[in-house]
């Protein structure tokens, strides 16, 4: 059985699956699988029951298809991995103060971080020969900048345990410089930072206005850069925009690769919730519908998503609710104001576009004279949502839907209200509103 590196068929299969499965789904469900392969079988080992069940039910056909492109003779089995894995690297043994959970394996991929992920991983695999030096990841708070940066540290150590990785929050650096000046040990502290093969500095923008720290950091930076040692920073803005930063530092920071990390899109936020719900510290049974529901109302950053998940866990634990029965009502009660709809000044055109997209119709279909059952349902749904979320009168809503009169609008509203009570179309209704809340 092949256990070293990645089995060849599975490694090739992963490249295929990246192109055929959405990034967020690939990251949450496929990436955690470990593969064991011999001449006749490919065993995919899931880290927990939730991953095993989801992959078996929803992704096995895509996996079979991808594997068949590279090796048609392999039989595929999906099972649970053993609880203990002696080959798993122990990040706790590292001398650098990296958070053990901040690895690439624990990172959810999406459009918001795909480029930064690719660059960070490439740099970590080649820290003495990367063209991207320094590498700066910038963006708002709680978007995963530190996670990406520290993941580079973990991977660099995994590739070569002798690699010296130093991680330092900027304010710790300032305190070290201040203390070394007071005790006349500045050369010693500079030598400490200059000994790094990979230097990771969090929140580099905080060095602005701190003249002595900037001066010493300039010398440390030059020493590492000239010695082809890798430097990675996080920042809340592009380096060229940092006020009270010496021009020589701005120039050096800007000469490398600067990448902007943006807030995660809806599907990626939901994938993050699902991934973190599986973490043994949280371990709650969150399904995709609930993850989408929560993600639709918490749009700011990853840290707020984590906070919401912990709040939900606390509510479930203290209320002694069965994990299998976490419902939308449970989420509403637990998260309160966090998940109130965030829809203001709704535009009829937006409603029509989202409804048409949801029901695979065109916007013009909603205003047409068609009496096809599917089109009528979509038209009535759009009218109902416009009535609920806009300030337009019944007559004005009717005009937006092929000049229909107010009695037709009233009939549409009544029909949808009845269907919502019987739950036939409740999921459609909630998903459309979710999409509107995130426009």
């Amino acid at each position: 059985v092949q256990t070293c590196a990645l089995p060849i068929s599975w490694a090739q299969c992963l490249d295929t699956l990246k192109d055929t499965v959405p990034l967020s789904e690939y990251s949450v469900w496929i990436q955690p699988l470990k593969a064991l392969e011999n001449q006749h079988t490919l065993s995919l080992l899931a880290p927990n029951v939730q991953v095993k069940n989801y992959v078996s039910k929803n992704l096995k056909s895509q996996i079979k298809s991808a594997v068949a492109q590279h090796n048609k003779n392999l039989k595929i089995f999906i099972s649970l991995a053993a609880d203990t894995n002696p080959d798993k690297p122990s990040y706790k043994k590292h001398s650098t103060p990296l958070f053990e959970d901040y690895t690439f394996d624990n990172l959810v991929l999406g459009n918001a971080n795909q480029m930064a992920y690719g660059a960070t991983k490439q740099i970590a695999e080649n820290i003495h020969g990367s063209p991207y030096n320094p590498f700066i990841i910038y963006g708002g708070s709680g978007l995963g900048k530190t996670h990406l940066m520290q993941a580079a540290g973990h991977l660099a150590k995994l590739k070569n345990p002798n690699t010296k990785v130093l991680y330092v929050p900027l304010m710790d650096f300032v305190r070290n410089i201040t203390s070394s000046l007071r005790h006349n040990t500045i050369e010693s502290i500079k030598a400490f930072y200059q000994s790094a093969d990979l230097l990771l500095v969090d929140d580099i923008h905080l060095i602005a206005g701190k003249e002595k720290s900037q001066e010493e950091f300039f010398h440390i930076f030059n020493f590492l850069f000239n010695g082809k040692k890798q430097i990675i920073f996080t920042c809340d803005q592009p380096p060229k925009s940092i006020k009270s930063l010496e021009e020589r530092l701005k120039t050096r920071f800007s000469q490398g690769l600067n990448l902007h990390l943006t807030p995660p899109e809806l599907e990626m936020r939901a994938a993050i919730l699902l991934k973190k719900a599986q973490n043994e510290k949280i371990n709650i049974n969150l399904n995709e519908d609930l993850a989408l529901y929560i993600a639709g109302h918490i749009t700011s950053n990853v840290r707020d998503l984590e906070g919401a998940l912990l709040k939900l866990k606390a509510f479930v634990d203290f209320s002694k609710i069965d994990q299998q029965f976490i419902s939308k009502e449970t989420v509403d009660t637990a998260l309160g104001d966090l998940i109130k709809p965030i829809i203001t000044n709704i535009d009829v055109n937006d409603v029509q576009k989202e409804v048409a997209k949801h029901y695979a119709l065109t916007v013009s279909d909603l205003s047409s004279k068609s009496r096809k059952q599917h089109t009528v349902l979509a038209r009535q749904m759009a009218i109902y949502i416009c009535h609920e979320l806009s300030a337009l009168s019944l007559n004005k809503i009717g005009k937006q839907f092929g000049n229909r009169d107010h009695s037709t609008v009233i009939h549409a509203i009544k029909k949808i209200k009845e269907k919502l009570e019987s739950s036939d179309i409740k999921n459609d209704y909630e998903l459309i509103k979710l999409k509107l809340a995130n426009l």
Side-chain angles (χ1 to χ4, degrees):
V1 175
Q2 293 177 317
T3 55
C4 58
L6 276 176
I8 185 64
S9 295
W10 183 240
Q12 294 167 332
C13 179
L14 285 175
D15 289 336
T16 303
L17 287 167
K18 275 183 185 176
D19 295 330
T20 57
V21 175
L23 266 177
S24 54
E25 198 171 18
Y26 173 88
S27 182
V28 172
W29 305 113
I30 292 178
Q31 201 173 40
L33 298 174
K34 304 300 179 188
L36 297 176
E37 182 184 328
N38 60 31
Q39 285 184 327
H40 307 291
T41 64
L42 173 64
S43 296
L44 299 177
L45 308 180
N48 57 50
V49 175
Q50 192 175 358
V51 172
K52 175 182 174 290
N53 291 345
Y54 186 90
V55 170
S56 299
K57 182 180 178 183
N58 301 291
L59 294 170
K60 194 168 183 180
S61 61
Q62 288 103 310
I63 290 173
K64 278 185 175 180
S65 175
V67 172
Q69 293 182 38
H70 306 288
N71 190 337
K72 293 181 180 179
N73 299 320
L74 283 180
K75 290 184 179 179
I76 299 168
F77 298 94
I78 299 171
S79 56
L80 275 176
D83 289 336
T84 56
N85 179 2
D87 295 325
K88 185 177 181 180
S90 173
Y91 296 113
K92 290 181 180 177
K93 294 178 182 177
H94 291 177
S95 60
T96 50
L98 301 174
F99 304 132
E100 65 179 45
D101 289 338
Y102 280 12
T103 65
F104 286 118
D105 285 342
N106 289 333
L107 189 70
V108 173
L109 294 178
N111 293 332
N113 66 357
Q114 173 66 9
M115 187 173 178
Y117 160 80
T120 309
K121 195 167 185 182
Q122 183 181 331
I123 288 167
E125 290 173 338
N126 185 29
I127 60 168
H128 294 296
S130 169
Y132 309 123
N133 199 19
F135 175 47
I136 301 181
I137 311 166
Y138 70 93
S141 176
L143 298 181
K145 301 187 299 295
T146 301
H147 188 147
L148 271 168
M149 180 174 70
Q150 290 206 9
H154 283 305
L155 181 56
K157 291 285 284 183
L158 194 59
K159 287 276 182 184
N160 181 359
N162 295 321
T163 299
K164 185 165 184 180
V165 178
L166 291 180
Y167 163 74
V168 58
L170 191 280
M171 289 311 297
D172 284 357
F173 174 81
V174 172
R175 280 187 279 271
N176 285 338
I177 294 297
T178 303
S179 175
S180 67
L181 289 171
R182 189 167 68 248
H183 295 101
N184 199 28
T185 56
I186 189 67
E187 293 306 318
S188 174
I189 198 68
K190 280 167 63 177
F192 170 70
Y193 289 118
Q194 289 171 345
S195 69
D197 295 302
L198 173 60
L199 178 63
L200 311 172
V201 183
D202 228 344
D203 297 324
I204 192 67
H205 55 276
L206 295 178
I207 204 170
K210 300 171 178 65
E211 294 178 6
K212 188 60 181 174
S213 293
Q214 288 189 51
E215 180 185 338
E216 300 303 338
F217 192 81
F218 175 77
H219 297 305
I220 293 167
F221 179 98
N222 279 347
F223 182 91
L224 293 173
F225 183 83
N226 292 332
K228 298 193 181 304
K229 305 295 180 68
Q230 182 66 47
I231 307 159
I232 303 179
F233 303 143
T234 68
C235 191
D236 69 352
Q237 58 193 292
K240 63 183 180 182
S241 302
I242 302 174
K243 294 179 180 177
S244 302
L245 180 66
E246 289 182 11
E247 198 59 40
R248 60 181 180 172
L249 282 177
K250 280 188 183 182
T251 301
R252 278 159 178 75
F253 292 172
S254 299
Q255 75 188 29
L257 178 63
N258 296 185
L259 287 184
H260 185 203
L261 213 57
T262 57
E265 66 274 18
L266 173 65
E267 292 80 3
M268 185 178 168
R269 294 198 301 275
I272 289 168
L273 286 168
L274 287 168
K275 183 103 169 179
K276 291 188 179 296
Q278 296 170 24
N279 187 294
E280 61 183 18
K281 295 175 186 174
I282 298 179
N283 193 28
I284 62 172
N285 188 23
L286 194 71
N287 63 41
E288 288 193 66
D289 287 342
L290 288 177
L292 275 167
Y293 179 66
I294 296 169
H297 300 292
I298 300 175
T299 61
S300 47
N301 58 53
V302 177
R303 205 165 288 146
D304 288 346
L305 290 171
E306 290 176 336
L309 204 55
L310 285 171
K311 193 173 180 182
L312 176 61
K313 175 183 170 55
F315 180 83
V316 169
D317 287 349
F318 296 140
S319 303
K320 297 184 178 176
I321 294 171
D322 190 319
Q323 285 270 354
Q324 301 301 317
F325 298 104
I326 298 176
S327 63
K328 178 175 172 292
E329 289 68 30
T330 305
V331 172
D332 285 340
T333 306
L335 302 186
D337 291 344
L338 289 178
I339 44 99
K340 283 187 176 178
I342 319 166
I343 307 176
T344 56
N345 300 322
I346 197 68
D347 187 278
V348 174
N349 290 329
D350 289 335
V351 175
Q352 290 175 330
K353 286 175 186 175
E354 283 302 325
V355 171
K357 184 178 176 183
H358 182 83
Y359 287 103
L361 297 169
T362 65
V363 171
S364 60
D365 287 333
L366 302 180
S367 300
S368 71
K369 297 185 183 298
S370 172
R371 300 302 302 164
K372 290 180 182 177
Q373 188 175 356
H374 183 70
T375 305
V376 170
L377 172 62
R379 184 184 300 126
Q380 290 176 340
M381 176 67 79
I383 288 172
Y384 181 84
I385 293 176
C386 285
H387 173 64
E388 183 186 26
L389 301 179
S390 78
L392 293 180
S393 66
L394 298 180
N395 284 330
K396 286 185 177 178
I397 291 174
K399 283 184 180 180
Q400 297 288 328
F401 290 87
N403 286 319
R404 286 172 163 81
D405 60 36
H406 78 285
S407 62
T408 304
V409 174
I410 291 172
H411 175 74
I413 293 167
K414 181 183 175 185
K415 281 292 183 184
I416 295 298
K417 195 174 288 186
E418 289 171 357
K419 285 188 167 83
L420 286 174
E421 287 173 2
S422 65
S423 294
D424 287 348
I425 58 169
K426 203 167 186 179
N427 283 341
D428 290 348
Y429 165 73
E430 289 182 349
L431 189 56
I432 291 165
K433 283 186 67 174
L434 197 59
K435 294 286 188 181
L436 288 168
N438 282 274
L439 288 179

